[in-house]
Amino acid sequence: MKKVLLVEDDQVIQMGWMVLLEDLPLQLLQARDISQARDLFYDNPDLDAVVMDGCVPGVELNTANLTMEIRKRFAGPMIAVSSEPDFRRALVQAGCDYACDKNLVPDKLIQLLGL
């Protein structure tokens, strides 16, 4: 079973991802703020992928530092997601490998994890 950290503050979006991925061999860890994301990352050294929203919570990019911190310790795929293209680009510069719209996250995870 693959383990994925989903960093997204919008509960509706999180639940949508959960529903679309529920039949796959995935354990999905949900974080809705930076502190929770950091704790889940350090408590789960066996992660297979990280999905990083740009703003958790808020409307300003606030996860770039966390992305850099995670990248120093995590070699797996990291996906930058945001409704704001500039935020996605900034997260890629901070260490994410891929960028995609939020509605494409399930497909991107399936592709990257070979599910």
Side-chain angles (χ1 to χ4, degrees):
M1 181 169 289
K2 304 279 186 177
K3 189 183 287 189
V4 178
L5 174 58
L6 303 172
V7 183
E8 167 61 59
D9 61 317
D10 188 319
Q11 185 173 358
V12 172
I13 291 171
Q14 283 262 16
M15 292 308 298
W17 292 342
M18 300 289 284
V19 168
L20 291 170
L21 297 167
E22 68 185 352
D23 293 330
L24 298 172
L26 287 173
Q27 180 181 1
L28 302 172
L29 307 174
Q30 297 176 286
R32 292 197 175 88
D33 62 43
I34 291 172
S35 177
Q36 188 178 30
R38 183 176 285 115
D39 290 345
L40 285 170
F41 174 75
Y42 285 107
D43 289 346
N44 294 277
D46 57 341
L47 288 172
D48 294 290
V50 175
V51 175
M52 184 68 70
D53 184 18
C55 311
V56 290
V59 295
E60 297 295 324
L61 178 66
N62 61 10
T63 58
N65 287 338
L66 177 61
T67 299
M68 289 186 283
E69 180 181 337
I70 289 173
R71 180 46 73 203
K72 289 178 185 175
R73 294 162 180 82
F74 180 69
M78 293 179 66
I79 305 168
V81 299
S82 176
S83 54
E84 184 61 48
D86 289 340
F87 293 173
R88 291 193 302 264
R89 282 190 286 278
L91 290 176
V92 168
Q93 289 177 344
C96 286
D97 304 293
Y98 307 94
C100 72
D101 291 332
K102 291 183 181 187
N103 62 339
L104 299 176
V105 166
D107 292 336
K108 192 66 170 175
L109 283 172
I110 289 167
Q111 173 196 5
L112 292 174
L113 299 176
L115 301 172

